[in-house]
């Protein structure tokens, strides 16, 4: 099996585990849990997991040396890649159902291609017209789902949710790609994730201080358990799978686009999760049509050589 195909399958598997994020975040929001704790606790839980892994692999010292050499870039891109990505994504769960957040999140597929010329100084466009056509199909599907959501979500909530997911959708590929450049292939996936967690901690502490000062409730036992579930399934398993997949094709813009396109499968997984866990009704026909277009766009991306 070719490396690109392997990376694509890993990306698809990561989408399954990442879908847990949308469903559980929505559950915590419905139960009255603060989005601040939903976001920050995920990374606090992830820290010991990756610290143990990196220590057991005897790779902690090289990581700390790498951070020491370029502390400001590490802090900047880790904050963007983890903090500015996940805090808005969690906040959006207060405005929209999980399937709508998951579908809007697919803009990240397009974001990666838009950002590529600005991230890579030697970038030369290798995307064919068909690549943009497939991406347009995904965007059309997202637009149809947004229109459908107007029947059940207030316009102000819809716009707020859309805006914050849009911020997250650009922050994630930006932080991930810049960190791959910064690591220069010298660090493995576990080191890179641990380094990003460590360097994003100041952001999470600052967010927690804001939460305390603005009267956000402290996390309940239920929220502690739910964020642990998100940390294991989405933060550990999904992140490792996705970062491994992007690392495998980090020098191949087409390969990166394919891997990032796999994340559209999260829409399907989020719908299934919301129906079974939150007892939500099946989305209406327009929303299902939009989801189908997203899946078709993703599939065409994956099949294109």
């Amino acid at each position: 099996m070719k490396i690109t195909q392997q990376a694509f399958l890993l990306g698809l598997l990561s989408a399954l585990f990442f879908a847990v994020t949308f469903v559980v975040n929505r559950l915590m929001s419905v139960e009255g849990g603060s989005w601040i704790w939903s976001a920050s606790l995920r990374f606090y839980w992830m820290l010991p997991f990756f610290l143990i892994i990196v220590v057991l692999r005897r790779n902690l010292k090289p990581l700390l040396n790498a951070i020491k050499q370029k502390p400001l870039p590490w802090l900047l891109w880790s904050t963007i890649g983890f903090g500015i990505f996940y805090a808005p994504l969690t906040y959006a769960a207060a405005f929209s159902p999980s399937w709508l957040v998951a579908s809007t999140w697919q803009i990240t597929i397009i974001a990666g291609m838009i950002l590529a010329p600005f991230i890579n100084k030697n970038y030369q466009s290798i995307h064919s017209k068909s690549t943009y056509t497939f991406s347009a199909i995904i965007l059309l599907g997202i637009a149809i789902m947004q229109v459908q959501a107007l029947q059940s979500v207030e316009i102000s909530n819809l716009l707020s949710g859309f805006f914050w997911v849009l911020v997250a959708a650009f922050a994630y590929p930006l932080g991930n790609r810049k960190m791959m450049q910064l690591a220069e292939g010298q660090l493995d996936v576990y080191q890179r994730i641990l380094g990003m967690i460590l360097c994003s901690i100041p952001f999470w502490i600052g967010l927690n201080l804001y939460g305390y000062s603005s009267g956000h409730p402290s996390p309940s036992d239920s929220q502690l358990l739910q964020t642990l579930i998100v940390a294991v399934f989405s933060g550990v398993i999904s992140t490792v799978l996705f970062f491994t997949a992007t690392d495998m094709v980090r020098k191949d813009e087409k390969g990166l686009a394919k891997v990032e396109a796999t994340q559209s499968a999260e829409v399907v997984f989020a719908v299934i999760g919301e129906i079974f866990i939150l007892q939500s009704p099946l989305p209406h026909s327009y929303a299902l049509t939009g989801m189908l277009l997203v899946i078709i766009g993703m599939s065409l991306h994956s099949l294109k050589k």
Side-chain angles (χ1 to χ4, degrees):
M1 186 180 295
K2 295 181 179 179
I3 290 178
T4 302
Q5 292 175 319
Q6 293 176 342
F8 177 82
L9 291 176
L10 287 178
L12 194 61
L13 193 57
S14 78
L16 170 61
F17 288 100
F18 193 80
V20 173
T21 292
F22 301 110
V23 178
V24 179
N25 280 349
R26 181 61 176 174
L27 177 61
M28 288 187 284
S29 177
V30 170
E31 293 180 348
S34 169
W35 67 272
I36 289 177
W37 287 110
S38 296
S40 59
L41 281 171
R42 176 187 192 257
F43 291 89
Y44 293 148
W45 282 122
M46 287 170 62
L47 180 57
F49 282 101
F50 283 100
L51 184 59
I52 291 171
I53 292 172
V54 173
V55 168
L56 289 177
R57 291 164 63 91
R58 299 181 180 180
N59 284 334
L60 182 59
K61 188 174 180 180
L63 169 62
L64 297 178
N65 287 336
I67 296 174
K68 186 177 180 180
Q69 290 174 8
K70 298 179 180 179
L72 292 181
W74 270 91
L75 284 169
L76 173 62
W77 300 119
S78 297
T79 298
I80 291 174
F82 277 178
I84 307 302
F85 142 63
Y86 196 67
L89 196 64
T90 307
Y91 184 56
F95 301 102
S96 306
S98 61
W99 64 265
L100 184 58
V101 174
S103 64
T104 308
W105 167 246
Q106 304 319 311
I107 292 175
T108 193
I109 298 167
I110 317 301
M113 291 191 292
I114 293 174
L115 291 169
F118 304 98
I119 296 173
N120 187 354
K121 295 180 180 179
N122 298 319
Y123 174 82
Q124 291 183 341
S125 178
I126 43 74
H127 297 302
S128 63
K129 290 183 179 179
S130 60
T131 299
Y132 294 105
T133 300
F134 302 156
S135 298
I137 292 173
I138 294 173
L139 285 178
L140 177 61
I142 293 171
I144 291 174
M145 284 185 279
Q146 296 291 331
V147 172
Q148 169 65 49
L150 283 173
Q151 298 181 16
S152 57
V153 180
E154 292 184 7
I155 183 65
S156 58
N157 285 347
L158 185 67
L159 292 176
S160 294
F162 180 84
F163 172 76
W164 290 113
V165 175
L166 187 65
V167 171
F170 276 84
Y172 192 56
L174 176 60
N176 183 27
R177 292 189 179 205
K178 291 299 291 187
M179 285 307 305
M180 283 193 290
Q181 289 182 353
L182 193 61
E184 296 179 333
Q186 302 301 309
L187 302 175
D188 64 27
V189 170
Y190 301 103
Q191 288 172 299
R192 185 154 61 91
I193 294 173
L194 175 60
M196 291 181 71
I197 294 172
L198 289 170
C199 292
S200 67
I201 291 297
F203 173 86
W204 299 118
I205 292 176
L207 190 63
N208 292 150
L209 293 175
Y210 163 75
Y212 278 122
S213 65
S214 57
H216 282 256
S218 298
S220 62
D221 291 342
S222 175
Q223 191 171 19
L224 287 170
L225 176 60
Q226 289 164 337
T227 52
L228 174 60
I229 292 172
V230 172
V232 172
F233 282 87
S234 175
V236 178
I237 299 175
S238 175
T239 304
V240 168
L241 289 171
F242 185 73
F243 275 39
T244 299
T246 53
D247 252 6
M248 291 171 69
V249 291
R250 65 181 182 275
K251 296 182 180 180
D252 178 5
E253 284 294 335
K254 286 185 178 180
L256 273 171
K258 287 185 178 182
V259 170
E260 288 170 347
T262 62
Q263 302 311 285
S264 60
E266 294 161 0
V267 180
V268 180
F269 300 136
V271 169
I272 295 172
E274 183 154 323
I275 291 172
F276 284 97
I277 296 175
L278 300 180
Q279 303 298 308
S280 299
L282 186 70
H284 295 294
S285 57
Y286 281 114
L288 292 175
T289 300
M291 290 178 202
L292 180 61
L293 287 174
V294 169
I295 295 168
I296 290 173
M298 186 261 309
S299 301
L300 291 173
H301 263 299
S302 68
L303 294 173
K304 185 178 183 302
K305 296 181 180 180

